[in-house]
Amino acid sequence: MKKLGVFIAVLLAGTSAAQASTLFMGSYPDKMLVLDEATGAVQDRLTLASGLPTSMRLSNDKSKIYVTTITTSGIEVIDTKTKKVINSFSLNTPTVRYRFNGGVPDPTGRFFYTMIQKFEKLPDRYTVSPQMFGVIDLQKKAVVRTVDVPEEDVRNGGGRGNYMMSADGKTMFLIRDKVLVIDTAELKVKDRLEFSKPEATGIEGVSFGGGVETLRNPNEYVSLFNAQDPYIRNKIFGVGRFDLATKTFAFRPIGPAPVGGGMAGLQVSADMKEGWTVVTQEKVGNKRCEFWHFDLSTNLVKNKAEFPCRTRFQFGMSGDGKMLYIYGASYDIEMYDAQTLQHIKTVDLGNDTTGAGMIITQ
């Protein structure tokens, strides 16, 4: 009987270890923090040879994290199982500089698609390229193809956007004020999907917000959206879903958009029945921050709770969906209960975190 008890204890310990989540976060000046999510303890600080991390992307099979860096315009690939950097390189040379932020790998993991600009130092002058769709070969560690972005699709401030890739790798989607459908073979925009006035909905001016940080379904982009009715211009918010396979957009209005403020971030439970966002009202000394927790099946706000504002911050959720995180531009993470919205604890990271976000793996 004693041996059976020992065996059960070992089995439970093994199961707990197997289910333990690991949290990856970028930090200054060139580090990737690796945390045990259950305890908040920093297990490792990976040095990124190419510099400061600015974006992170989890592969669809969850085996790799693709990190873009700004110091030397590089890419770092982290193996989620070993928690080690398995590929690292910089695109910059003494006479050539690149700028890009974010992107998406193809299904093979060989190529990385993004929007990019090139700055070249010539003997008598500098040249600056237009915004370009670019393909980076992760084996050759170089930009292998570029095509100029059409003038109508150029946006000031660089090419920041939300990138998605079709399951067959033949189409890239760039989701901004509209969805650009890009053929990966030719890097040409083959369609522009306007969702500013969906058919038969009674609302218009729909705009995508930031997507769910931890993508629940690689074939679907889920985000907050804002819209207004075309008659009395009441502004509302809701949850929008863009299906990559059918190229269709579906959404569910939830309620009136907050007045004099904004909504940032979206987190959704694994069963897609609950959602959370952060609402900010006013600015500076009068700034007010709240969690909003809503039921996605009934489109009703379940509860709200105010929390101490930061000048800048990001919003995340634990791997098991039980805690909400406020972090970024600081040395800590504030943890809150996802159901009661009450503060649980503050975890000291020992490093100032960047705006690259966080990725949680099992």
Side-chain angles (χ1 to χ4, degrees), residues 98 110-111 134-138 140-146:
Y98 288 96
R110 169 71 184 271
F111 299 104
V135 182
I136 301 170
D137 188 315
L138 299 178
K140 294 182 178 179
K141 304 182 179 182
V143 177
V144 292
R145 286 193 294 136
T146 59

Side-chain angles (χ1 to χ4, degrees), residues 60 105-108 164-173 217-220 244-245:
N60 287 350
D106 76 335
T108 69
M164 298 291 285
M165 181 70 69
S166 62
D168 58 10
K170 295 181 178 180
T171 306
M172 178 175 74
F173 301 89
N217 181 352
N219 299 313
E220 184 180 54
L244 273 60

Side-chain angles (χ1 to χ4, degrees), residues 12-270:
L12 291 175
T15 302
S16 176
Q19 294 176 342
S21 297
T22 300
L23 193 155
F24 295 84
M25 296 181 68
S27 70
Y28 291 91
D30 58 359
K31 295 292 186 290
M32 180 62 63
L33 304 183
V34 183
L35 290 80
D36 176 79
E37 193 180 25
T39 63
V42 177
Q43 297 177 320
D44 201 357
R45 291 177 169 85
L46 307 179
T47 298
L48 307 180
S50 60
L52 178 70
T54 55
S55 77
M56 302 165 63
R57 180 71 182 227
L58 184 65
S59 63
N60 287 350
D61 63 5
K62 305 186 187 306
S63 66
K64 298 180 180 66
I65 298 173
Y66 296 85
V67 184
T68 64
T69 62
I70 193 172
T71 308
T72 60
S73 300
I75 292 181
E76 310 273 338
V77 183
I78 298 172
D79 182 276
T80 58
K81 184 176 181 179
T82 63
K83 303 178 181 62
K84 300 297 181 184
V85 176
I86 58 175
N87 192 5
S88 172
F89 61 92
S90 301
L91 295 176
N92 289 352
T93 71
T95 58
V96 176
R97 297 286 189 272
Y98 288 96
R99 280 293 178 265
F100 63 101
N101 189 348
V104 60
D106 76 335
T108 69
R110 169 71 184 271
F111 299 104
F112 190 82
Y113 290 79
T114 186
M115 285 181 68
I116 198 166
Q117 274 191 289
K118 180 181 179 181
F119 305 82
E120 188 170 6
K121 181 182 179 182
L122 301 178
D124 59 340
R125 68 191 187 280
Y126 288 89
T127 62
V128 180
S129 78
Q131 290 182 20
M132 304 180 291
F133 297 122
V135 182
I136 301 170
D137 188 315
L138 299 178
Q139 290 184 11
K140 294 182 178 179
K141 304 182 179 182
V143 177
V144 292
R145 286 193 294 136
T146 59
V147 170
D148 290 357
V149 174
E151 186 65 30
E152 64 181 292
D153 299 318
V154 171
R155 297 290 180 273
N156 293 328
R160 179 184 287 272
N162 301 292
Y163 299 87
M164 298 291 285
M165 181 70 69
S166 62
D168 58 10
K170 295 181 178 180
T171 306
M172 178 175 74
F173 301 89
L174 180 57
I175 302 172
R176 301 186 300 190
D177 53 337
K178 65 183 73 172
V179 178
L180 301 184
V181 183
I182 302 157
D183 180 80
T184 57
E186 298 182 352
L187 294 184
K188 296 292 182 67
V189 178
K190 60 183 182 180
D191 202 0
R192 295 174 179 85
L193 306 179
E194 298 273 3
F195 296 114
S196 59
K197 192 173 182 179
E199 295 181 2
T201 61
I203 65 173
E204 62 183 23
V206 174
S207 61
F208 285 99
V212 176
E213 289 190 38
T214 303
L215 298 175
R216 302 296 182 188
N217 181 352
N219 299 313
E220 184 180 54
Y221 179 81
V222 182
S223 78
L224 281 176
F225 76 90
N226 291 296
Q228 63 183 10
D229 73 80
Y231 308 109
I232 58 177
R233 306 298 180 185
N234 278 337
K235 293 184 178 180
I236 61 175
F237 78 96
V239 174
R241 293 179 172 86
F242 177 66
D243 189 296
L244 273 60
T246 62
K247 302 182 182 63
T248 56
F249 177 56
F251 58 87
R252 292 182 177 179
I254 292 176
V259 178
M263 309 182 78
L266 172 67
Q267 297 299 329
V268 178
S269 61

Side-chain angles (χ1 to χ4, degrees), residues 310 324-327 332-336 343 345-347:
R310 300 186 182 190
L324 305 177
Y325 297 148
I326 297 295
Y327 68 99
D332 57 25
I333 303 177
E334 299 284 355
M335 298 184 175
Y336 296 81
H343 183 265
K345 62 180 179 179
T346 301
V347 174

